[in-house]
């Protein structure tokens, strides 16, 4: 066992696949000598050279479009956009091309593309750099979407993402990049569609992913002191989704709270809540509770940003409302 940051876990996942397969290439703004906006690709340009670690123009449309073309013609590109908010410029390439190409060609073409998207608030980056837009990409058939919450899963899910012959949207929490986690000496690929039970409990199920896993675990500790045992489910993979893990947990606890960092209105959390309400109705002793960000762009002010984004206290209050 060793300690590693979340960002290092992502890098080691990319590096190990680059050592195995010369067709794995990286591209994005400042991913080369600079090492990436958040330092995730640091050292890879020096190790693998500019042919395989390519700085691009400041154009997300070009980054996504070039990656789709490279993937369709035999490479396995891992593309980084500086912030998930900038995906707006690359949506046509991702949604209308990458997601649909294999279907439209009857399976005769593969698009083994990984698109890395730093997401969420917490670093006072302002409204245009703090979005949580997972609902956009989970809505699109043809895309796989993952959102690891720790260094071990970040490494293992990157291995799986690069090996996949379909486009994978790999979302990363910016506030976790420098956080250290324990990582096994040997890291295996983490299969998509398999959730992780981070804490077992008998009274309520907390369904979440990304940075909110930490918030959920902190909330669970406080609730345990008051006699409420919360089970924490880290989805890890948003699509494919481990429905059985959710259903089995709700069948045990009979209460469910879904927490995501995205704006609650129209979010992925609403899809999860509707699914639980629809398919686990007879198991529920209380309505499903949703926790999310307030209905506003994320403020630049640290105090206002903290007010807008969900936290452990919000989870605690949401769970207490069920009892």
């Amino acid at each position: 066992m060793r300690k590693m940051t979340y960002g290092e876990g992502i890098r080691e996942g990319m590096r190990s696949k680059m050592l195995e397969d010369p067709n794995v290439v990286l591209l994005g703004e400042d991913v080369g000598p600079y090492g990436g906006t958040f330092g995730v690709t640091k050292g890879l340009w020096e190790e693998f050279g500019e042919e395989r670690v390519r700085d691009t123009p400041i154009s997300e449309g070009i980054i996504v479009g070039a990656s789709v073309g490279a993937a369709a013609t035999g490479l396995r590109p891992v593309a980084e956009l500086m912030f998930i908010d900038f995906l707006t410029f690359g949506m046509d390439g991702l949604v209308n091309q990458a997601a649909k190409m294999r279907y439209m060609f009857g399976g005769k073409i593969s698009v083994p593309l990984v698109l890395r998207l730093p997401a969420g608030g917490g670093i006072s980056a302002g409204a245009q750099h703090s979005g949580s837009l997972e609902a956009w990409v989970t809505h699109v058939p043809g895309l796989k979407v993952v959102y690891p919450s720790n260094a071990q899963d970040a490494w293992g899910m990157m291995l799986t993402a690069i090996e996949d012959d379909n486009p994978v949207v790999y979302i990363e929490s910016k506030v976790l990049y420098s956080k250290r986690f324990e990582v096994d000496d040997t890291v295996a690929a983490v299969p998509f569609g398999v959730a992780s039970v981070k804490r077992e409990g008998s009274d309520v199920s907390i369904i979440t992913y990304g940075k909110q896993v930490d918030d959920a675990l902190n909330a669970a500790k406080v609730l345990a002191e008051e006699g409420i045992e919360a089970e924490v489910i880290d989805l890890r993979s948003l699509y494919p989704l481990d429905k059985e893990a959710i259903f089995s947990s709700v069948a045990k606890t009979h209460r469910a709270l879904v927490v995501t960092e995205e704006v609650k209105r129209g979010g992925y959390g609403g899809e999860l809540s509707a699914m639980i309400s629809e398919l686990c109705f007879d198991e529920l002793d209380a309505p499903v509770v949703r926790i999310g960000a307030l209905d506003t762009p994320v403020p630049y002010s640290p105090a206002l940003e903290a007010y807008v984004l969900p936290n452990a206290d919000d989870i605690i209050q949401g769970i207490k409302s069920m009892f």
Side-chain angles (χ1 to χ4, degrees):
M1 193 72 73
R2 51 190 159 156
K3 288 221 167 181
M4 180 179 294
T5 67
Y6 183 81
E8 288 170 342
I10 298 169
R11 177 165 64 245
E12 287 306 310
M14 293 187 291
R15 179 175 178 272
S16 60
K17 296 308 293 184
M18 293 181 78
L19 289 168
E20 289 179 15
D21 186 351
N23 288 320
V24 178
V25 297
L26 311 184
L27 66 157
E29 298 164 22
D30 291 330
V31 299
Y34 186 72
T37 305
F38 298 99
V40 175
T41 56
K42 186 176 181 180
L44 297 180
W45 181 83
E46 289 81 359
E47 183 172 2
F48 296 101
E50 62 183 5
E51 286 294 310
R52 296 184 64 194
V53 183
R54 296 198 170 206
D55 282 335
T56 67
I58 304 174
S59 172
E60 286 73 23
I62 288 176
I63 296 170
V64 176
S67 298
V68 173
T73 53
L75 296 180
R76 291 187 174 271
V78 181
E80 176 189 330
L81 304 189
M82 284 186 173
F83 298 91
I84 194 172
D85 313 72
F86 301 164
L87 179 59
T88 51
F89 292 101
M91 285 295 270
D92 180 70
L94 181 66
V95 172
N96 278 331
Q97 306 305 327
K100 298 178 173 69
M101 193 174 289
R102 193 170 193 179
Y103 170 81
M104 294 181 70
F105 284 91
K108 294 180 179 179
I109 194 169
S110 298
V111 188
L113 157 67
V114 179
L115 184 61
R116 293 182 47 231
L117 300 176
I123 63 170
S124 295
Q128 295 172 325
H129 305 81
S130 304
S132 294
L133 305 177
E134 53 266 33
W136 289 10
V137 286
T138 53
H139 183 71
V140 180
L143 298 179
K144 297 185 178 182
V145 185
V146 298
Y147 202 151
S149 68
N150 57 77
Q152 173 109 10
D153 286 347
W155 184 334
M157 298 194 91
M158 180 58 74
L159 298 178
T160 306
I162 294 175
E163 291 170 357
D164 203 302
D165 286 333
N166 301 284
V168 176
V169 179
Y170 186 102
I171 307 177
E172 305 164 9
S173 172
K174 296 195 290 288
V175 297
L176 293 181
Y177 278 132
S178 60
K179 183 173 180 178
R180 300 184 71 81
F181 298 87
E182 288 191 344
V183 175
D184 293 338
D185 292 332
T186 302
V187 178
V190 174
F192 293 170
V194 179
S196 174
V197 179
K198 293 300 183 186
R199 184 186 192 277
E200 293 192 357
S202 56
D203 298 320
V204 61
S205 302
I206 304 176
I207 315 298
T208 190
Y209 51 85
K211 185 258 182 187
Q212 272 60 52
V213 172
D214 277 353
D215 291 340
L217 291 171
N218 290 333
K221 290 178 183 177
V222 175
L223 290 165
E225 296 173 357
E226 302 183 27
I228 299 174
E229 292 296 334
E231 183 154 287
V232 178
I233 306 295
D234 178 3
L235 294 179
R236 304 192 292 189
S237 174
L238 308 190
Y239 189 83
L241 176 65
D242 189 351
K243 295 180 182 180
E244 291 306 315
I246 298 172
F247 297 161
S248 63
S249 180
V250 173
K252 177 170 66 171
T253 67
H254 306 293
R255 292 176 175 85
L257 178 140
V258 175
V259 55
T260 66
E261 188 173 325
E262 58 184 351
V263 173
K264 191 164 107 172
R265 173 169 58 97
Y268 181 67
E271 168 66 19
L272 295 172
S273 301
M275 182 188 70
I276 295 169
S277 298
E278 181 180 0
L279 300 177
C280 300
F281 183 79
D282 291 340
E283 296 289 355
L284 293 170
D285 289 343
V288 179
V289 172
R290 279 187 298 153
I291 303 293
L294 299 183
D295 192 7
T296 178
V298 180
Y300 172 78
S301 160
L304 290 176
E305 182 182 43
Y307 178 76
V308 164
L309 298 179
N311 56 40
D313 288 338
D314 296 325
I315 297 171
I316 292 168
Q317 295 306 313
I319 288 176
K320 286 183 175 181
S321 72
M322 300 184 202
F323 291 89

